[in-house]
Amino acid sequence: MTDSFVFLVNPASGGGAAPGAVVPVARRLRDAGARVEVTYSPGPEASRELVGSAVERGDVVVSVGGDGMLASLAGEVSRLGGTLAIVPAGRGNDFARMLGLPDDAAGQAATLLAGRRRSVDLISYADRLVVGSVYAGVDARAGDFVDASRYVPMFAQYPIAALRSLATYTPARCHVTIDGVDHEFDAATVVVANSGYYGKGMKIAPAAVVDDGLLDVVVIEAASKWALIRALPSVYDGSHVERSEVHVFTGRTITLAASSRRSVPVGADGEPLGVLPTPDAPVQISVRPAALTVIA
């Protein structure tokens, strides 16, 4: 049994739900005799210091929040050789979904106390590590809409954002190189996935495995806005990959660029990453096999 945990909580996650989510889990751990320390998101620099101190003591670092909070901690935990655990309390919680983690406090506490460790891959994108997926196109634009959805109920934010993004999208000429093989597409989106899920349960890469040393690349070619909107429900069960406009590849090293009248936004794990570069300076994305130890 693991008996020492440092919880790092993003108080803004889940529309402010994260602080409440940590309380019953921490109580159960303490009742079981575990040592628990809880800190509320002191900022990136202070969080790195807290992670460093926790790993040095042999504590498990627990991310309490969404996929963005998880990704912000994963790189440092990986670099230091520590162990990361998750109490999902964000809007999407897609990596926790991929790992099959429970969504109730009793189940989350039991998982932490059992302490079963597994190694998972990470994605290297430019100068940062990503846990779930990197995506460019309509889905990144949808992420911007989600961030602006202050007065929309949380359960409706992702579906409404997806519809808004599809209704206003412009196709982009995307240049994708996978393990040295070049491809070009007029695309609505390109997703480089470690995890199968994004966007609060959309099964964008149904064949993805988090510990196979490979990344799944899903390209959805441009189509009419109405055709894409009609196809949106199929993304939730993964059947979209059977459509003729959807292409799926696997690889270890991917370069990505775009030539388009309109800049192509990029996001990862619910966070914006700017825009895709032009073909003369493409961004490189690669897998980091077994880079992170998680409790799951």
Side-chain angles (χ1 to χ4, degrees):
M1 183 184 84
T2 300
D3 60 4
S4 187
F5 304 90
V6 173
F7 285 72
L8 296 181
V9 186
N10 180 357
S13 289
V22 74
V23 173
V25 180
R27 182 186 303 122
R28 284 174 166 83
L29 295 180
R30 289 180 176 128
D31 288 347
R35 188 180 70 82
V36 178
E37 177 183 324
V38 179
T39 301
Y40 292 88
S41 194
E45 191 61 40
S47 291
R48 280 192 291 272
E49 293 177 5
L50 287 168
V51 168
S53 298
V55 173
E56 187 176 359
R57 291 192 302 266
D59 298 343
V60 173
V61 177
V62 185
S63 171
V64 185
D67 293 307
M69 179 65 173
L70 174 62
S72 74
L73 299 174
E76 190 67 6
V77 174
S78 169
R79 186 182 70 82
L80 296 172
T83 298
L84 186 65
I86 308 166
V87 171
R91 286 181 292 199
N93 305 319
D94 287 300
F95 199 70
R97 180 178 289 106
M98 185 69 182
L99 295 178
L101 295 178
D103 57 7
D104 63 290
Q108 291 160 3
T111 298
L112 293 174
L113 290 168
R116 298 188 186 93
R117 288 162 166 77
R118 62 179 293 192
S119 295
V120 299
D121 306 333
L122 294 177
I123 302 173
S124 174
Y125 177 91
D127 60 350
R128 66 183 292 163
L129 292 177
V130 173
V131 175
S133 60
V134 175
Y135 38 86
V138 293
D139 31 22
R141 200 169 299 281
D144 293 339
F145 287 136
V146 169
D147 290 341
S149 300
R150 296 176 182 171
Y151 303 108
V152 178
M154 195 161 60
F155 74 89
Q157 288 176 358
Y158 280 96
I160 290 174
L163 290 172
R164 287 184 63 190
S165 180
L166 290 171
T168 58
Y169 99 102
T170 300
R173 190 67 176 171
C174 292
H175 307 260
V176 188
T177 302
I178 303 168
D179 291 345
V181 179
D182 296 330
H183 306 269
E184 288 192 9
F185 300 95
D186 289 323
T189 190
V190 178
V191 181
V192 180
N194 180 40
S195 169
Y197 295 99
Y198 79 169
K200 196 175 177 64
M202 294 182 182
K203 203 170 186 180
I204 185 63
V209 179
V210 296
D211 56 3
D212 62 352
L214 294 170
L215 300 176
D216 285 41
V217 183
V218 181
V219 180
I220 301 178
E221 287 192 275
S224 74
K225 294 173 182 177
W226 178 236
L228 290 173
I229 289 171
R230 282 190 304 167
L232 181 61
S234 66
V235 183
Y236 282 92
D237 64 10
S239 62
H240 65 290
V241 298
E242 300 169 8
R243 304 177 70 90
S244 60
E245 67 270 24
V246 179
H247 306 273
V248 181
F249 311 89
T250 58
R252 293 180 172 83
T253 301
I254 295 94
T255 61
L256 190 56
S259 48
S260 175
R261 290 184 295 105
R262 186 181 183 185
S263 62
V264 180
V266 185
D269 294 341
E271 302 295 321
L273 294 184
V275 298
L276 278 186
T278 55
D280 59 341
V283 66
Q284 180 167 298
I285 307 169
S286 59
V287 65
R288 295 278 186 90
L292 179 67
T293 299
V294 295
I295 290 180

